[in-house]
Amino acid sequence: HGCAALAGGFVSGRRSGRRGWYSGGMLGLFYAVLVLFISFMASNTGVSGRTLIMLLETLLCGMVGGMVGVNAKRS
């Protein structure tokens, strides 16, 4: 999940051109909520400590990816 959020944050930060940490963080948060919603609907899982760790992980990875994406040079 962290790699997916990092890649998505990179792309969103590169496309936005500014405030990559914000766009990447929002993408990471949206991704985590979407995964939680699908897992809840598919197998009726609840919120646990692992869930909160995944939320934090995707948020941080998305933010880092967004910051890197903003600073990536376009060729």
Side-chain angles (χ1 to χ4, degrees):
H1 295 294
C3 291
L6 185 73
F10 179 82
V11 171
S12 70
R14 190 166 179 186
R15 286 181 156 238
S16 73
R18 60 186 181 94
R19 290 197 323 197
W21 63 272
Y22 181 76
S23 62
M26 288 298 108
L27 183 122
L29 193 62
F30 178 74
Y31 173 79
V33 169
L34 184 67
V35 166
L36 288 174
F37 179 72
I38 291 171
S39 68
F40 178 74
M41 296 303 282
S43 61
N44 199 16
T45 58
V47 178
S48 66
R50 285 183 158 187
T51 305
L52 298 176
I53 290 172
M54 187 190 70
L55 279 169
L56 184 64
E57 175 188 358
T58 56
L59 178 68
L60 292 176
C61 287
M63 290 171 82
V64 169
M67 287 188 278
V68 171
V70 165
N71 293 316
K73 295 188 189 285
R74 295 185 185 226
S75 49

